[in-house]
């Protein structure tokens, strides 16, 4: 994914921060107007993180949390705006809306409120949300903004990492992609549970490795993954150069 950059929003003072983030995300370019989404919808994850860092892909990564049934909503939006809806996880009510060349992921909010949902995420810098309705708010219950300022990747909890072991490798990839340090306790969890990555579907692991290898610090990131035990050593037949060529 190619990014363009501007001066980051985070180092500045809080006043006007939400307005600058909203302007940077440029909702006028989105494939559907924010007003078409139900009250209580929030933009979460990478788009918020990258927007605060002044990093923006050609198309914003629209990952939305909604208060009700995301599958029903995605079908309604597809019908209304001329797109198509794909069910990603029926049990957890997660769907993807494909519209005008964009993909919009919608997920039913987990827990009683947005803060509860964010508490289930992997790293603090991914556990921030921007509410779409006026007055817009940056919701940051786990100090992700402070970690962005410090250039630190910190897991919310050990249990959150273990909920999906791919998050162990994702942490190494994010640290490489953002040029962040991995918080010592987080690093100890990644190293302690590296063997669980074997339980993850191979295609998911490969996709994460390809993204890691494609970062500006891909070689260092792959070496860090080896150091954590997430990848075999070269003596075991692993070649970082070969992986970089396939990315």
């Amino acid at each position: 994914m190619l990014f363009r950059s501007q001066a980051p929003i985070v180092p500045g003072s809080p006043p006007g921060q939400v307005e600058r983030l909203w302007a940077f995300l440029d909702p006028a370019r989105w494939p559907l107007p924010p007003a078409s989404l139900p009250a209580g919808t929030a933009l979460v994850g990478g788009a918020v993180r990258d927007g605060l860092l002044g990093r923006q892909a050609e198309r914003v990564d629209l990952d939305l949390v909604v208060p009700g049934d995301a599958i029903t909503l995605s079908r309604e939006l597809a019908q209304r705006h001329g797109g198509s809806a794909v069910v990603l996880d029926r049990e957890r009510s997660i769907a993807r809306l494909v519209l005008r060349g964009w993909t919009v992921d919608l997920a039913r909010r987990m827990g009683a409120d947005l803060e509860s949902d964010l508490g289930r995420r992997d790293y603090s810098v991914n556990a921030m949300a921007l509410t779409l309705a006026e007055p817009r708010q940056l919701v940051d219950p786990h100090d992700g903004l402070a970690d962005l300022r410090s250039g630190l990747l910190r897991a919310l909890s050990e249990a959150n990492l273990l909920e999906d072991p791919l998050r162990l490798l994702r942490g190494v990839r994010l640290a490489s992609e953002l040029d962040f340090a991995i918080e010592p306790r987080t690093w100890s969890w990644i190293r302690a549970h590296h063997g669980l990555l074997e339980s993850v579907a191979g295609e998911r692991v490969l996709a994460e490795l390809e993204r890691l290898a494609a970062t500006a610090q891909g070689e260092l990131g792959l070496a860090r993954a080896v150091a954590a035990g997430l990848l075999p050593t070269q003596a075991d037949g692993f070649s970082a150069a070969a992986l970089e060529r396939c990315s």
Side-chain angles (χ1 to χ4, degrees):
M1 183 180 293
L2 297 176
F3 288 90
R4 69 176 189 268
S5 298
Q6 68 167 30
I9 295 171
V10 228
S13 55
Q17 188 175 69
V18 170
E19 289 77 9
R20 282 183 290 153
L21 175 58
W22 185 249
F24 183 70
L25 292 170
D26 196 7
R29 294 180 57 245
W30 296 3
L32 71 169
S36 67
L37 296 160
T41 298
L43 180 68
V44 297
V48 178
R49 177 198 70 221
D50 290 338
L52 288 166
L53 289 173
R55 303 169 75 244
Q56 188 182 66
E58 182 182 353
R59 289 176 175 164
V60 176
D61 181 13
L62 293 177
D63 188 357
L64 303 172
V65 166
V66 298
D69 180 14
I71 293 174
T72 299
L73 175 62
S74 68
R75 288 170 175 162
E76 291 173 352
L77 291 171
Q79 185 173 18
R80 193 182 314 156
H81 296 281
S84 59
V86 181
V87 176
L88 299 180
D89 188 326
R90 192 172 301 278
E91 183 178 346
R92 294 191 298 163
S93 187
I94 301 174
R96 175 166 294 165
L97 175 65
V98 182
L99 182 63
R100 297 171 195 157
W102 291 61
T103 58
V104 182
D105 287 345
L106 301 106
R108 182 180 59 207
R109 187 179 66 206
M110 304 291 288
D113 50 31
L114 184 56
E115 288 80 0
S116 299
D117 184 279
L118 294 174
R120 302 171 62 92
R121 296 180 183 266
D122 48 11
Y123 298 96
S124 64
V125 297
N126 290 339
M128 296 181 286
L130 179 66
T131 58
L132 299 190
E134 297 274 9
R136 282 179 282 275
Q137 294 181 317
L138 180 64
V139 182
D140 178 24
H142 301 284
D143 295 323
L145 199 56
D147 288 337
L148 283 183
R149 289 193 181 102
S150 302
L152 189 68
L153 191 77
R154 176 176 56 86
L156 295 194
S157 72
E158 186 175 18
N160 283 22
L161 292 183
L162 300 186
E163 185 176 329
D164 179 2
L166 187 66
R167 291 174 169 181
L168 303 168
L169 181 58
R170 184 178 300 142
V172 174
R173 190 261 298 170
L174 282 171
S176 179
E177 184 177 290
L178 303 174
D179 193 18
F180 277 18
I182 299 178
E183 184 247 353
R185 185 171 60 168
T186 298
W187 178 243
S188 71
W189 290 337
I190 292 173
R191 294 187 65 186
H193 300 293
H194 68 270
L196 294 177
L197 191 63
E198 294 181 0
S199 67
V200 179
E203 60 270 20
R204 296 183 68 212
V205 174
L206 180 59
E208 198 67 55
L209 284 173
E210 289 176 340
R211 292 185 67 180
L212 171 57
T215 65
Q217 299 193 51
E219 187 174 350
L220 177 62
L222 290 167
R224 183 182 275 167
V226 171
L230 294 166
L231 291 176
T233 64
Q234 288 189 349
D236 295 323
F238 171 74
S239 167
L243 181 59
E244 287 180 315
R245 284 195 299 270
C246 80
S247 65

